[in-house]
């Protein structure tokens, strides 16, 4: 019973994709489960069950090293750079690996969804466009839209699309496996909305993109 519960909890932790720490602890729970199943196999004389779970224990130990060791160190390094950048006079840095899942709001500060990924131009190294997911539950029935970098204010805690929610929703939706091979079109907001986004952060990001 304990082994079965541990396996279910570990499966939820690793499937949730909530970062290296949670995934790593998911493998810890998996290890507990495989050890428990090994004990059950030894107690009941099920040799195949013991063999299978000894192998799974080794695999889970590799997972612990991978996620609680190396990957967690990578993520901590990226967070350290981000914190240092916020305290410096240089443009704010964010980790590329941290883009997926970051919150996206519209020009009025209303939540739109979250970033899925950022596409980078090989020649310049600049971000071409972001893919933003909206709606749906746990990824089911969500809608994807591409937003060019020129229409995004990049911040340390997320992204602001320089459009109203209605303008953003007029952008063409993407198929999950078919994203554009070039930057989508961009029309800047006008009037009051445009005035509200003329921030030093945006001016800095534009300067970096042109530099």
């Amino acid at each position: 019973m304990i082994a079965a519960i541990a396996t279910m909890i570990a499966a939820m932790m690793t499937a949730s994709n909530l970062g290296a720490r949670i995934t790593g602890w998911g493998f810890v729970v998996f290890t507990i489960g495989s050890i428990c199943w090994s004990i059950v196999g030894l107690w009941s004389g099920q040799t195949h069950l013991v063999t299978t779970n000894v192998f799974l224990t080794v695999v889970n130990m590799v997972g612990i090293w991978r996620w609680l060791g190396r990957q967690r160190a990578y993520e901590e390094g990226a967070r350290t750079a981000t914190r240092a950048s916020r305290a410096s006079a240089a443009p704010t840095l964010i980790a590329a690996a941290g883009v997926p899942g970051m919150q996206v709001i519209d020009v009025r500060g209303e939540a739109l969804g979250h970033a899925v990924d950022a596409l980078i131009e090989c020649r310049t190294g600049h971000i071409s466009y972001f893919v933003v997911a909206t709606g749906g539950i746990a990824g089911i029935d969500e809608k994807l839209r591409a937003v060019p970098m020129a229409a995004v204010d990049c911040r340390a805690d997320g992204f602001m699309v320089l459009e109203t929610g209605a303008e953003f929703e007029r952008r063409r939706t993407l198929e999950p496996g078919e994203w554009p091979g070039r930057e989508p079109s961009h029309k800047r907001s006008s009037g009051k909305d445009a005035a509200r986004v003329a921030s030093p952060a945006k001016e800095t990001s534009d300067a970096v993109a042109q530099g």
Side-chain angles (χ1 to χ4, degrees), residues 1-135:
M1 185 65 177
I2 296 177
I5 293 174
T7 301
M8 289 188 290
I9 293 174
M12 289 187 290
M13 293 175 70
T14 54
S16 61
N17 192 27
L18 296 177
R21 190 181 299 275
I22 299 299
T23 301
W25 278 105
F27 277 104
V28 171
V29 180
F30 265 135
T31 302
I32 294 172
S34 60
I35 291 174
C36 289
W37 281 118
S38 298
I39 294 173
V40 170
L42 287 171
W43 180 74
S44 60
Q46 300 181 62
T47 306
H48 293 299
L49 183 61
V50 174
T51 302
T52 299
N53 281 280
V54 167
F55 173 74
L56 290 176
T57 299
V58 174
V59 172
N60 293 331
M61 292 297 291
V62 173
I64 292 172
W65 169 80
R66 170 71 171 80
W67 293 101
L68 283 184
R70 189 177 65 176
Q71 189 63 31
R72 187 184 63 81
Y74 290 168
E75 290 187 3
E76 183 57 34
R79 283 192 293 267
T80 300
T82 301
R83 289 193 296 266
S85 179
R86 290 178 185 176
S88 70
T92 299
L93 299 176
I94 62 170
V99 169
M102 293 190 76
Q103 183 187 39
V104 179
I105 61 176
D106 69 5
V107 73
R108 294 172 178 168
E110 298 176 358
L112 290 176
H114 64 274
V116 173
D117 211 336
L119 279 295
I120 300 174
E121 295 178 354
C122 293
R123 184 177 62 83
T124 64
H126 297 160
I127 294 175
S128 175
Y129 67 87
F130 292 89
V131 176
V132 179
T134 59

